[in-house]
Amino acid sequence: MRTLEIRSQHLCFGGIQGFYQHDSKAIGLPMRFSVYQPPQALYGPVPVLFFLAGLTCTEETFMIKAGAQRLAAEYGLMLVSMDTSPRETGIAGETDDWDFGAGAGFYVDATQTPWSRFYRMESYVTQELREIILTQFSAARNQVGIFGHSMGGHGALTLALRNPGMYQSVSAFAPIAAPMHSPWGQKAFRHYLGNQQENWRESDATVLIEGGRRLPALLIDQGLNDPFLAEQLHPDRFEAACRKAGQALNMRRHDDYDHGYYFISTFMADHLKHHWDMLKSE
């Protein structure tokens, strides 16, 4: 059992908001994550939602900004978020760009040196952190959902697609839905996965849907005043692939909303209900 360092804990809507650190075997460095344990977790295992945050975020961003704990306490949902990359690896250039390196792990396992030594976010989220949550917290093993925002929306979609049956519910806010067509995605994939675009396909949600992978019924929210919509996110490509494949998708577009946490917090209740409705029957 991995030893967890409790960095802080706070009473929140009758539950516990905690921030933790541990020595990660998958990453090879200390990693930080956060957990909201609803009051129902005192009496037995509860459904758990993993939230994957976007570029520049940390394990604190979602818990501070999304306004999710009150609703999670009502439903009895555990919330988990994690840092978006390894930190202080010593790799040259790691902190040079806000959209690559530190704070921008893209939820892939890097195959290219020097990144492959530490940047193993897919393994961290789907294996190591998952087992920590399921074994050291009061989380129900067969009631696990995943959602995320922007880079984290890409992560939620692709990790669920690449690991059939691991997540019983999935949703996203403004995901990078076709990263092979996104400058952010191209930059990350070139460094983490190499120059051969064929090696990028397994990390692109649109391509995975086109290739036959499927998910539980999806909810995606997208603001139409999002400055990254046209160049980076490409929800239309993903929606078209889902329509052709018969993948159930509720794609909601919202006038005047942008890319930030004011947008996310506005529609958080809908996402938690979406997950609760799917997880409670498991």
Side-chain angles (χ1 to χ4, degrees):
M1 183 176 292
R2 296 300 173 89
T3 300
L4 301 182
E5 173 190 342
I6 300 173
R7 298 182 57 238
S8 67
Q9 288 184 328
H10 315 272
L11 190 65
C12 182
F13 294 104
I16 299 172
Q17 176 62 63
F19 298 92
Y20 307 91
Q21 180 170 302
H22 70 115
D23 291 328
S24 168
K25 183 176 180 180
I27 300 297
L29 291 168
M31 286 293 290
R32 292 181 175 181
F33 66 93
S34 56
V35 181
Y36 176 67
Q37 301 176 72
Q40 295 86 340
L42 293 173
Y43 305 103
V46 298
V48 56
L49 293 180
F50 287 81
F51 183 86
L52 280 55
L55 292 164
T56 76
C57 294
T58 72
E59 76 286 351
E60 296 182 333
T61 310
F62 170 78
M63 297 301 185
I64 292 172
K65 293 185 174 183
Q69 290 93 335
R70 178 181 62 81
L71 294 162
E74 293 178 7
Y75 284 122
L77 290 169
M78 184 177 296
L79 303 173
V80 179
S81 193
M82 72 295 302
D83 204 352
T84 50
S85 77
R87 303 281 177 170
E88 299 181 3
T89 66
I91 296 175
E94 180 184 37
T95 60
D96 288 356
D97 299 320
W98 70 273
D99 58 353
F100 174 74
F106 260 81
Y107 304 101
V108 299
D109 284 353
T111 60
Q112 304 299 300
T113 56
W115 309 101
S116 57
R117 182 177 177 187
F118 301 113
Y119 278 67
R120 298 181 52 78
M121 290 298 295
E122 178 175 359
S123 292
Y124 180 69
V125 173
T126 62
Q127 298 175 32
E128 185 173 27
L129 181 58
R130 177 185 173 91
E131 282 305 303
I132 288 173
I133 299 303
L134 294 178
T135 58
Q136 300 195 43
F137 294 83
S138 186
R141 182 171 289 272
N142 295 320
Q143 294 174 294
V144 181
I146 191 168
F147 65 147
H149 168 232
S150 193
M151 177 185 72
H154 141 77
L157 295 175
T158 56
L159 296 189
L161 285 162
R162 285 167 58 87
N163 295 276
M166 181 173 286
Y167 303 103
Q168 288 73 55
S169 61
V170 186
S171 73
F173 295 93
I176 304 173
M180 290 182 68
H181 297 274
S182 163
W184 284 339
Q186 293 165 0
K187 183 176 183 177
F189 290 174
R190 185 171 63 253
H191 286 89
Y192 295 145
L193 304 177
N195 290 322
Q196 296 298 318
Q197 293 193 13
E198 184 64 27
N199 296 330
W200 303 359
R201 296 175 60 83
E202 285 290 302
S203 297
D204 185 303
T206 298
V207 173
L208 291 171
I209 290 290
E210 291 171 343
R213 306 288 182 92
R214 296 293 180 266
L215 292 170
L218 282 170
L219 172 63
I220 293 179
D221 279 302
Q222 175 63 61
L224 294 181
N225 196 33
D226 188 324
F228 306 115
L229 177 57
E231 184 178 25
Q232 302 285 5
L233 305 180
H234 300 293
D236 293 350
R237 288 179 179 270
F238 184 75
E239 184 178 36
C242 288
R243 185 183 302 113
K244 184 175 181 180
Q247 166 67 53
L249 168 64
N250 183 8
M251 174 76 77
R252 308 193 307 182
R253 295 171 173 84
H254 306 279
D255 291 338
D256 302 325
Y257 282 93
D258 60 22
H259 195 70
Y261 271 82
Y262 296 113
F263 157 63
I264 292 172
S265 62
T266 300
F267 299 103
M268 181 56 60
D270 294 343
H271 281 251
L272 293 190
K273 185 178 187 304
H274 167 80
H275 287 276
W276 172 246
D277 286 344
M278 300 197 73
L279 294 176
K280 68 182 180 181
S281 62
E282 291 296 323

